[in-house]
Amino acid sequence: GLNANYAITDSISATAGLWSSNVDNVTANGGVELDYVLGVSGTMDMFSWNAGYTFFSYPGTQDTTAQAPDFQEVSVGAAYDFGMLSVGASYAYSPDFLLQSGAGHYINGKITVPLKYVDLSASMGKQYVEKNAVVGFADYRDYKLAASMTVYGLGVELAYIDTSLNS
């Protein structure tokens, strides 16, 4: 992905970004997911916050039903840095989630432990979808264990990610 950040003040920044991935499923038969991201974030001492908007698009998808896969989402998050670890939570809402499956809600919690050269983190989230039958999967949990660091100004992360969904 690509991100551009602009410092509005010493403690508030604006972000615009573009993220892309190959996808291989019936929902996105075009083979690509392309996300457009806008956000604002800030800090107050050891407390940080963010708010954002994401448009999820699937270019090239041949819509064989009346259900378009594209959707949008708004999100908010906050974290507190205790020094030896930080704890954060986020919430995202989509008024009409993937494939027009009704309201979507996503809740996530994260713990990060900063070490000398690397940050270790663990997170767990839960995705709720109003019309599970339309989207083709039940509400599910996701998990992530990660090690991240900055090398010459570039963020690098090695992560294990999984869900409670059955393949």
Side-chain angles (χ1 to χ4, degrees):
L2 299 172
N3 275 330
N5 296 305
Y6 176 73
I8 298 169
T9 69
D10 287 344
S11 61
I12 298 176
S13 296
T15 301
L18 180 65
W19 182 87
S20 181
S21 177
N22 63 321
V23 288
D24 183 19
N25 61 39
V26 177
T27 303
N29 56 30
V32 175
E33 176 180 332
L34 188 57
D35 303 343
Y36 303 89
V37 181
L38 296 173
V40 63
S41 61
T43 58
M44 294 176 278
D45 296 318
M46 305 307 276
F47 177 77
S48 60
W49 58 270
N50 62 70
Y53 168 83
T54 305
F55 179 74
F56 298 84
S57 66
Y58 300 89
T61 296
Q62 299 300 312
D63 187 11
T64 58
T65 69
Q67 301 157 324
D70 299 350
F71 67 99
Q72 54 193 330
E73 183 176 82
V74 292
S75 60
V76 294
Y80 191 84
D81 187 346
F82 293 95
M84 63 181 179
L85 69 91
S86 66
V87 177
S90 61
Y91 170 75
Y93 170 74
S94 174
D96 202 5
F97 193 63
L98 183 68
L99 294 174
Q100 300 173 341
S101 56
H105 304 270
Y106 179 73
I107 300 168
N108 184 276
K110 181 178 181 180
I111 295 173
T112 303
V113 177
L115 301 175
K116 187 172 184 177
Y117 298 107
V118 65
D119 290 346
L120 302 178
S121 63
S123 63
M124 186 170 80
K126 176 84 180 205
Q127 177 70 60
Y128 299 93
V129 180
E130 181 180 354
K131 300 174 188 171
N132 297 102
V134 172
V135 77
F137 55 78
D139 296 344
Y140 66 92
R141 290 176 306 282
D142 64 76
Y143 316 91
K144 180 178 178 180
L145 297 173
S148 60
M149 62 190 307
T150 302
V151 179
Y152 299 110
L154 180 65
V156 179
E157 180 178 74
L158 176 64
Y160 169 78
I161 302 170
D162 202 357
T163 72
S164 63
L165 291 171
N166 296 326
S167 305

